[in-house]
Amino acid sequence: MRSGSLPRLKGFDHTIAFLHDGYEFVSRRCDRLNSDAFLARLMLQKVVCARGEDAAQLFYEGGRFTRRGAMPPTTMRLLQDLGSVQQLDGAAHRHRKAMFVRLLMGADAEQQITELFRGEWRNAAKEWSSRPSIVLFDQANVILTKTICRWMQIPASKPYAELANEFSSMIENSGSAGFAVILALIRRRSTERYFERLVRSIREGTAIVATDSPLAYVVNYRDMDGSLLSERSAAVELINILRATVAIGRFVIFVAMALEQQPKWKEKLHSADDAAYEHFAEEVRRLYPFFPVIGGRAIESFEWRGHEFDCGDWFILDLYGTNHFRRLFPEPHQFNPARRLAWRTQGYDFIPQGGGDSRTDHRCPGEQITVGIMREACRLLVEDMQYELPEQDLTLSLHEIPARPRSGVVLSNIRLNI
Ligand code: HEM
């Protein structure tokens, strides 16, 4: 990395400031330095931090960056893990990515998954009405686990609540350090072994699954060289679909919070069409905090804004800051579904789940089902149920990654409309 035109942060290392400022680390400094990119040092390593459309385009277009060695190892192991699509580059990445795109990015998958989700939610809600209150976050995680396991046709040999806890622990601990992370890593390894055994028994013919099931598709998928994915990689990719779907539970509680905080929009949504519900869901994805940043390491040397990148140089793209960048989103802290945002534009400005082209770049292939599920969760809360939010702490701390309200969003006096 040769210094060029980018401003450099004062001080020797900025890790503590990053941990303190969390989601706002990059954008606060961009504002202060009056520059959308700057040089810093995190975990004693030089890094370029940047926000905005140009930075996202640089990061996603043209395969200039690998994700290998670009995130803290514990975060990487808990979320994507070694042997996953995210750790691949170039042709090998595109080939593996095609598996996710084919499986997840079609109208059929979205319709089947959202229908299952509605059914599971309504079943659970019948039981909610006999209880004084529920924690929506916990309930949504189990509903999402059931939904995605049933859609994939994963044999039900482990209780769904147990699986939901295992997936949730991977997400909740992805930004932490210390003993909790060690426990989460041990748990993750045991979940991986469970899915490795499943892959093996399907391949050996001792577990029977429908040949046209999504599960069989992953288990029988072949890499570029024509060989089956290793048992470990197949298990990791199955978890990549299951865990990531359970992660939508966080967006589901943000939808419930947005409805509570925006009563005007809640009223407008009654009997609205899919598009209106999706605009609401997309604005939730823009405004509420989930993935703060994403990191990459340069694969080649190139110049950007007068700054020379060498192979191996570290770059951090500010996802949260780009979604709150006032040049891209006027009044960025106002909740406004009239912005009519959509993942379908595949652009570089609205990037809660990455930018660029999800078919070829590293952009998340799960956006369509994420938004589909959020749309239905929103519709269920607005049209299918009556409920109250009792007094509780709904504060979102931007210092905690990943952020969520402490209460998990408690709903009480629930009644299901026919
Ligand atoms: C809960 C909401 C979700 C969020 C906030 C989210 C966020 C992200 C982000 C930020 C990336 C990284 C992009 C990069 O490396 O540049 C990513 C990648 C990925 N996501 Fe998601 N995601 C979500 C849901 C899902 C779902 C539902 C699935 C699948 C069912 C999924 C599967 C993946 C996969 C396989 C990748 C790796 C893609 C690649 O490297 O090409 N995600 N996601």
Side-chain angles (χ1 to χ4, degrees), residues 15-27:
T15 313
I16 291 171
F18 184 93
L19 295 174
H20 181 265
D21 285 356
Y23 286 88
E24 294 180 313
F25 171 79
V26 179
S27 48

Side-chain angles (χ1 to χ4, degrees), residues 59-60 67 80 85-87 93 97 100 104 148 237 240-245 247-249 251 290-291 294 319 351-355 358 361-367 369-370:
F59 191 61
Y60 280 97
R67 276 35 173 185
Q80 294 279 339
V85 61
Q86 208 208 17
Q87 299 289 299
H93 169 256
K97 188 69 180 277
F100 290 92
L104 302 168
I148 195 65
E237 300 299 30
N240 237 345
I241 296 172
L242 304 173
R243 183 217 67 250
T245 305
I248 303 170
F251 276 147
F290 200 151
F291 261 68
I294 189 95
L319 301 176
I351 53 170
Q353 291 174 225
S358 31
D361 306 331
H362 280 283
R363 186 184 187 122
C364 176
E367 279 186 298
I369 66 167
T370 302

